[in-house]
Every structure is written in C-alpha cells, then in structure tokens.
Amino acid sequence: MALTVVVRSGDLETPAEITLDSPRVVIGRSEGCEIELPDPSVSHRHASIRQRGTEYVILDEGSTNGTFVGKVRLSPQAPRLLKTGDLIRVGRVWLEVRIAQVPITQNQKLVTREIALGLVASALSADGRPANAVVRVVSGPDAGASLTLTDAERTYIVGRGPGLDLSLTDDGLSRRHLEIARRGPHLSVRDLRSKNGVELDGVRLEPDKETTWPLSAALVLGDSELCYEDPVRAALDEIARASDEKIPDREAIAAPVGVAVESPSARTSEVAPPASKKKPSKAPPAPVGRPGIGWADVLVAVLALSVLTLSLFGLWLLFRA
C-alpha cells in the first residue's frame, strides 16, 4: 500500500500532494526530509511515518511544538496507527494522509522541493512580497535591465533580436543568444549556438547543453554580465537556518476549511495502550463472631460432668475391692 501525503495548509491554490512507498518518511524543515515543510514552527526533524506491513504509524521525533493526529497530541516516540483521511498537524502545518494502492510519485526529491518552494512563494505573495526570480543586467550597455521569471518550466530567450523576453543592445550578442528556464528550485541556461558564446562563473558553456545556473554565479555574454535574484530560495534558506519557533499555548491553529478534525475521544484505544486487566483482589474474610452460650449448652456440659464423675467413682470402687 502506498502513502499519499497532502499538504492542506498555506495559501496554495490547490493542495499539494506526494505519494511514497517507503519504510520511513521523515517530515520536517530540513531539505533532506521526504516531506519538507518550510515553516519555523516545524522542527528540522519533526515527525516520521513508518510502514508496518500494510499499515502506517506516525511518531513524534521530539519536536518543539508537538505532533497531532486530529486534536490528539502524541507523546514523543509513541507510535499511533494512521488511517485514510487522518489529519496530522506539525507546528502550524496541516497534512492529510491517504493509504491506498496507487502509483507512487516519480522524481520524489524534485516534487518535495517544489512543494516547499510553492509554500514559501504563496506565503510571500500573501504578504505582498515579490516571489518570482529576477534576472538582472549588472554591467554592460543595458545595465539595469531585468527579466522577471513568472512561469515555471517556461523558457525565456535573451539576445539582440526584437520581440525576445530580454532584448539587449549589446553588439556582442547574437540575435537569439541564450535560453533561461526554471527547473524546480534552480535556473538553467543554454547557449543557443551564439557567435561569441556564454561564460558561467568563468567557464565557457558547451553549445546546446543545459547547465544549472548557481544562485551566486555571474553569467557573461558579449559585454554584458547577468546575475539573478530568487526571493523564494533566499527565504527558504533563511527558514532552514532559523531556530524553531515556539507556538504560544494560547494560539489556536485552525484546521483546513471544510475538513472535520477528529476529537480526542475518538480511537482512544489507539492513543495509549490498554490498561492491564488485574484480577479483583479478594477481600479478607469477615471475622467470625463467637457464638453465644445457651441453656442447651449448659445442660450438655452438666451431663458430661456427671458421666465423668460416675466413671471415676466406679474406678475407685473397683480398685478398693
């Protein structure tokens, strides 16, 4: 059975999801987690989901703000069985789990990173801050010109010709000189067989070969030097370096709209192991009272004493004869 995790928090237009079939799925703020959630209230290694046969259990990994299934907070390292439709809260982020026989997600690391970038981008946009990468001309005849990359996976053309995404006046450029595209969390560049070529961080690019453009590297074509800024990547790196943010006890974390959250009383037997069944201890027997002495008892005692006296008198006569 495969595990699908749906991110139900944030300002994403549609919930993001990923389907995995792994013995252990780590949820946290670190880039190496299978479910990367860039929120300061999420610990770097917050919780993990582990496969047990056809079932899955979740454990809190000693996080700062705890892990909740519905409204039930888990004790650290105490496993809890998951079922389809369960809502999990890690920090301020809500997740939904589904367990079914469905195809797993391809390129899981890339998809995980894209989900993280989408969460950061939606948060920046909600705050009115720019969320798109921007390519800038830092030197050359067109210094100050810029190109905003608004669409993922789209290619942008840079050159000296008209009607391009970034048209420059640099005489050292070919009409269609360079192609730029976003590939997941990175930008890539490709020299379109230009006359004077392209240098990336001092190394000449091979024509028609797509190459990743590092965030801090300079791109030189003709007499122009280009760099790019990515506010989403910068915010993601800043969140990754930050310390855990403690959620105040008074702060209420709203559940996703239209989704019912399971109450703490539900599935109580799965929250804690059942209490051991002890046999009821036997009460000590009540003390038996001493019976009272009646007239019949006195009569029996007198008769017994008489018989004893007669027997002794008989023995005395026998020995005297």
Side-chain angles (χ1 to χ4, degrees):
M1 301 291 281
L3 173 74
T4 300
V5 179
V6 184
V7 181
R8 300 296 301 255
S9 294
D11 298 308
L12 299 174
E13 293 182 2
T14 56
E17 63 180 63
I18 182 171
T19 300
L20 311 102
D21 186 13
S22 305
R24 183 170 63 179
V25 175
V26 179
I27 302 169
R29 188 154 40 99
S30 297
E31 183 177 351
C33 295
E34 284 75 18
I35 307 295
E36 183 184 356
L37 302 174
D39 189 292
S41 66
V42 178
S43 296
H44 288 88
R45 185 184 177 91
H46 197 109
S48 63
I49 299 176
R50 303 183 186 184
Q51 190 174 25
R52 292 184 178 177
T54 58
E55 297 179 329
Y56 288 89
V57 297
I58 185 168
L59 299 89
D60 180 80
E61 298 285 354
S63 64
T64 297
N65 292 305
T67 302
F68 294 76
V69 177
K71 296 180 181 178
V72 179
R73 179 167 183 161
L74 306 184
S75 300
Q77 299 299 328
R80 179 184 173 95
L81 184 66
L82 290 174
K83 60 181 178 62
T84 293
D86 273 345
L87 282 178
I88 300 168
R89 180 166 69 80
V90 289
R92 294 188 179 91
V93 181
W94 286 94
L95 308 171
E96 180 184 351
V97 295
R98 302 171 188 162
I99 302 169
Q101 196 68 42
V102 295
I104 64 173
T105 301
Q106 301 300 314
N107 300 320
Q108 293 176 7
K109 289 185 178 180
L110 178 60
V111 173
T112 296
R113 194 64 171 173
E114 288 178 342
I115 291 174
L117 290 169
L119 288 169
V120 174
S122 65
L124 291 176
S125 297
D127 289 341
R129 299 160 61 187
N132 294 313
V134 178
V135 175
R136 300 189 186 279
V137 182
V138 296
S139 65
D142 303 280
S146 65
L147 169 65
T148 301
L149 310 182
T150 57
D151 300 325
E153 300 301 324
R154 179 193 159 186
T155 56
Y156 296 83
I157 307 300
V158 180
R160 194 166 46 88
L164 303 181
D165 297 294
L166 181 59
S167 295
L168 305 178
T169 60
D170 190 336
D171 292 335
L173 271 60
S174 300
R175 295 181 64 82
R176 291 171 59 91
H177 198 107
L178 176 73
E179 180 184 89
I180 302 174
R182 177 178 284 283
R183 299 287 185 247
H186 305 286
L187 293 188
S188 67
V189 292
R190 185 164 65 96
D191 179 8
L192 298 177
R193 295 188 175 275
S194 62
K195 180 179 179 181
N196 295 318
V198 178
E199 287 188 1
L200 177 60
D201 207 18
V203 178
R204 190 178 181 93
L205 298 184
E206 182 179 338
D208 274 337
K209 181 179 180 181
E210 195 168 274
T211 305
T212 298
W213 185 359
L215 187 58
S216 59
L219 190 72
V220 177
L221 47 161
D223 293 326
S224 302
E225 180 178 328
L226 281 62
C227 69
Y228 82 94
E229 304 164 359
D230 191 338
V232 173
R233 285 275 303 279
L236 192 62
D237 292 343
E238 182 180 350
I239 292 171
R241 292 191 300 267
S243 301
D244 291 357
E245 177 189 344
K246 176 66 176 175
I247 298 176
D249 294 336
R250 65 181 181 276
E251 182 177 343
I253 310 299
V257 177
V259 179
V261 179
E262 191 175 77
S263 63
S265 59
R267 297 195 297 159
T268 303
S269 60
E270 297 178 16
V271 178
S276 58
K277 296 182 179 179
K278 295 182 180 180
K279 294 182 178 180
S281 58
K282 294 182 179 179
V288 179
R290 184 176 297 175
I293 300 176
W295 287 106
D297 298 321
V298 174
L299 181 59
V300 170
V302 170
L303 289 174
L305 185 58
S306 300
V307 171
L308 180 59
T309 301
L310 291 174
S311 299
L312 293 174
F313 181 72
L315 288 172
W316 179 76
L317 292 177
L318 180 63
F319 285 110
R320 186 177 179 185

